[in-house]
Amino acid sequence: MTDVDTRRAIDAPIEFIDLAAQRRRIGRRMDEAILRVVDHGKYIMGPEVAELEQELAAFCDAKHVLSCANGTDALGLALMAKNLKPGQAVLVPSFTFAATAEVVVWFDAVPVFVDVRDDSFNMDSASLEAGIASARRCGLEPVGVIPVDLFGLPAEYDEILAIAETHRLWVICDSAQSFGAAYRGRNVGTIGGITTTSFFPAKPLGCYGVGGAIFTDDDDIAAVLKSLRVHGQGSDKYDNVHVGMNARLDTIQAAVLREKLMIFSDEIEARGLVARRYHQLLGKIAAVPNVPAGLTSVWAQYTVRLPSGCDRDAVAAQLKAAGVPTAVYYAKPLHRQTAYRHYPVAGNGLPVSERLSEEVLSLPMHPYLDELAQDRIVGVLASILR
Ligand SMILES: Cc1ncc(COP(=O)(O)O)c(C=O)c1O
């Protein structure tokens, strides 16, 4: 690099997620893939949809993959397939995106909020047990649990699946943020009875609009889901056998995802390198995320915890002034949000979710974050926190 190149790199704006860099890498192939769909004209359930589903299944070893309109509908379809009924309770973490609980309310069922672990930000199994007891005390019938793989790291499934089995609960894994990760030898998509994901553009595997998918090894569930995503249609198109949804993935988005899937393993590796470097450089100045042995993360976010008592808004503002974008996921746990605060919580409250919502700060994270940019981010954060 010449001095001028270095100066340019130092001054270049830092993106929180750099989709333009990915586009520079695969632009031409992508344009051709999209144009092929525009030309063949099969915009709904065109051939790319089934091809993508086969490729996703091969990628994670799931038996069945059903693409769908988005990650929220993926959860909704899964709950429909589980026949969730009004008044039943579903255990969900509070420290997550609203969709995880929102879909439960669609069915007039009751989300019961569970706390998360301090070390992984994922569902805490002791709090899950407490939540099941809280649901029963409220006169509700607990029927299922939706663990979330927050920020790309799988939840503690050994513990969660054991508790679910004891209490006869189904498990739907909300893996909107973690497709591509693995839990003790099992890929995301093959862990719970049903797994859902999102292809929102900012996700590790994102499309150019909205998209989602459902994974299951259960033939019967797969057949029901296939019908539900197209209005509950039967073998005769005009004799619907279920009340379903209009939740298909657009063919153009399937074509986009097929191209991105080809470089996904490479991108996951690059994300891992960025995360490892953050870990080395930041470990002494902030609490950095921890990946337990046997698990992998796809680093949907790289989220640090600022020291308690630190003014997070001021830190974020100083980072922004120095050209470093950040985000807060999530500033309010769900059990504190207006639409959800009247639903039950596990035990006597959710102190970890509440504390995390005050301390977390997500830093730029994407596969194309180079060392110069990362050094700038770390340098600015270090100088603020010192
Ligand atoms: C944990 C979680 N669940 C569900 C969703 C919903 O996905 P979508 O935005 O594709 O509907 C998201 C998306 O951000 C998410 O992060």
Side-chain angles (χ1 to χ4, degrees), residues 70-73 75 96-97 99-100 148 150 174 176-177 198-200 203 211 330:
N70 55 67
T72 309
D73 283 358
L75 286 165
T96 178
F97 183 62
T100 316
V148 174
L150 207 71
D174 181 350
Q177 304 181 9
S198 164
F199 300 129
F200 187 82
K203 296 290 188 267
Y330 300 93

Side-chain angles (χ1 to χ4, degrees), residues 290-312:
N290 166 52
V291 178
L295 277 65
T296 64
S297 174
V298 284
W299 300 106
Q301 303 295 340
Y302 191 88
T303 303
V304 297
R305 286 171 71 180
L306 300 180
S308 62
C310 179
D311 182 345
R312 181 176 57 194

